């Protein structure tokens, strides 16, 4: 039985990561063809950093991902604390509304935001793309922070107030450190979702502003370029290293 569990786990991870491994291998392929191996090379990485279109898209992707994840984390954390302190009926209603954007199809969210921006006569571009990313990231932060708030002993905050701490200082010194793992998880989730998003970005951006997903989609329509493999490899390794660093820091704090 134990062997079967390990075997099934191996199969699941194999199908999850085998395509990524193949992509990473072919990012070093000297040939443009995916049907044959033309030798080991770094030329696609060199060409990647000489491609102005990709570099521009990378710039917008990173800037939007960083800003939207930070703003969404702040708003989502404050919203989660407010929801946590609501009455049971109000909390149920608000949480159901929070779940809607998560389970809602991206194309519905994207078109809705596009219509909203056009209705308020806001030109589609960097600002609308940033607002869209902040909007769809907030629910994920709320859902990441809420479990930590449920685990929190409510008497700790009251004790801090009784000992002379101001409400703001009690929040910074008592509440925030306790819910920080949820806040970090929400921030990372928001950052990766922003990096990955295509559908909502496609409907809420304008000419001259595109993220990597839109650029890769445009390039893929003309045929798979090996530079895309190189770019995807760099992004995967970067996110993987980021997760490893955060998980190590979290485990050290828990063991301390």
């Amino acid at each position: 039985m134990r062997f079967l569990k390990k075997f099934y786990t191996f199969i699941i991870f194999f199908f999850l990561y085998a395509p990524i491994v193949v992509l990473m291998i072919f990012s070093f392929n000297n040939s443009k063809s995916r049907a044959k191996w033309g030798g080991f090379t770094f030329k696609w990485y060199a060409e990647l950093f000489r491609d102005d279109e990709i570099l521009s898209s990378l710039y917008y992707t990173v800037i939007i991902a960083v800003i939207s994840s930070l703003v969404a984390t702040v708003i989502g954390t404050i919203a989660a604390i407010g929801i946590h302190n609501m009455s049971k009926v109000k909390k149920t209603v608000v949480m159901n509304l929070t779940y809607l954007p998560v389970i809602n199809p991206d194309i519905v969210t994207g078109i809705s935001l596009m219509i909203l921006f056009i209705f308020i006569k806001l030109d589609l571009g960097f600002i609308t793309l940033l607002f869209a990313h902040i909007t769809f990231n907030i629910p994920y932060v709320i859902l990441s922070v809420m479990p930590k708030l449920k685990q929190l002993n409510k008497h700790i905050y009251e004790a801090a107030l009784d000992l002379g701490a101001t409400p703001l200082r009690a929040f910074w010194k008592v509440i925030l450190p306790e819910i920080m793992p949820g806040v970090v998880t929400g921030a990372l989730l928001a950052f990766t979702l922003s990096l990955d998003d295509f559908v909502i970005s496609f409907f809420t951006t304008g000419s001259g502003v595109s993220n990597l997903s839109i650029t890769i989609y445009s390039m893929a329509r003309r045929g798979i370029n090996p530079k895309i493999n190189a770019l995807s490899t760099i992004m995967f390794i970067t996110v993987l290293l980021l997760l490893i660093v955060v998980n190590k820091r979290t485990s050290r704090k828990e063991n301390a």
Side-chain angles (χ1 to χ4, degrees):
M1 193 70 180
R2 202 176 278 178
F3 171 77
L4 285 175
K5 287 182 179 179
K6 289 182 178 179
F7 177 74
Y8 291 146
T9 303
F10 172 78
I11 292 296
I12 291 170
F13 278 98
F14 176 79
F15 280 103
L16 280 174
Y17 290 101
I20 299 175
V21 173
V22 172
L23 179 145
M24 294 173 71
I25 291 172
F26 275 91
S27 70
F28 300 101
N29 185 13
N30 193 39
S31 172
K32 282 189 175 183
S33 173
R34 299 185 302 279
K36 65 177 183 178
W37 180 259
F40 187 87
T41 182
F42 284 103
K43 75 175 184 179
W44 304 120
Y45 289 88
E47 290 191 14
L48 170 66
F49 290 103
R50 289 197 295 264
D51 192 313
D52 292 335
E53 181 182 8
I54 291 178
L55 292 179
S56 175
S57 300
L58 178 62
Y59 168 78
Y60 284 119
T61 300
V62 173
I63 290 295
I64 289 172
V66 170
I67 297 175
S68 64
S69 60
L70 289 175
V71 175
T73 300
V74 173
I75 296 175
T77 302
I78 295 172
I81 294 171
I83 295 169
H84 180 71
N85 293 318
M86 287 181 177
S87 63
K88 188 175 181 181
V89 175
K90 289 181 180 179
K91 185 188 295 185
T92 302
V93 172
V94 176
M95 285 305 297
N96 286 332
L97 291 174
T98 303
Y99 281 117
L100 275 176
V102 176
I103 62 176
N104 203 35
D106 285 349
I107 191 167
V108 175
T109 304
I111 293 175
S112 302
L113 287 170
M114 179 187 69
I115 294 172
L116 173 65
F117 294 143
I118 293 174
F119 177 76
I120 62 176
K121 297 181 180 180
L122 191 62
D123 293 334
L124 296 181
F126 179 83
I127 297 298
T128 56
L129 186 59
L130 179 61
F131 284 166
H133 279 235
I134 293 172
T135 302
F136 74 73
N137 277 333
I138 289 174
Y140 292 96
V141 177
I142 294 174
L143 295 175
S144 297
V145 177
M146 284 300 293
K148 290 298 178 182
L149 287 169
K150 289 179 181 178
Q151 297 172 8
L152 185 66
N153 186 345
K154 63 179 181 180
H155 299 298
I156 298 177
Y157 177 74
E158 295 173 358
L161 295 178
D162 290 339
L163 291 172
T166 61
L168 184 60
R169 186 170 180 80
F171 170 77
W172 281 107
K173 295 294 183 179
V174 177
I175 303 297
L176 190 59
E178 291 292 325
I179 65 173
M180 186 55 72
V183 175
V184 172
T185 301
L188 285 175
L189 189 58
F191 181 77
T192 52
L193 285 170
S194 182
L195 286 178
D196 180 64
D197 181 72
F198 167 73
V199 176
I200 297 175
S201 300
F202 184 80
F203 285 103
T204 56
T205 190
S207 59
V209 179
S210 62
N211 59 11
L212 284 173
S213 299
I214 297 173
T215 301
I216 291 172
Y217 171 75
S218 302
M219 294 174 68
R221 294 176 66 183
R222 302 191 295 266
I224 299 297
N225 193 313
K227 287 185 287 187
I228 297 177
N229 296 340
L231 176 62
S232 301
T233 301
I234 293 173
M235 292 180 66
F236 175 77
I237 292 174
T238 302
V239 173
L240 179 63
L241 291 175
L242 180 63
L243 287 174
I244 291 172
V245 170
V246 171
N247 286 332
K248 281 191 173 182
R249 291 191 63 183
T250 303
S251 61
R252 284 178 185 173
K253 288 181 179 178
E254 290 178 352
N255 293 331

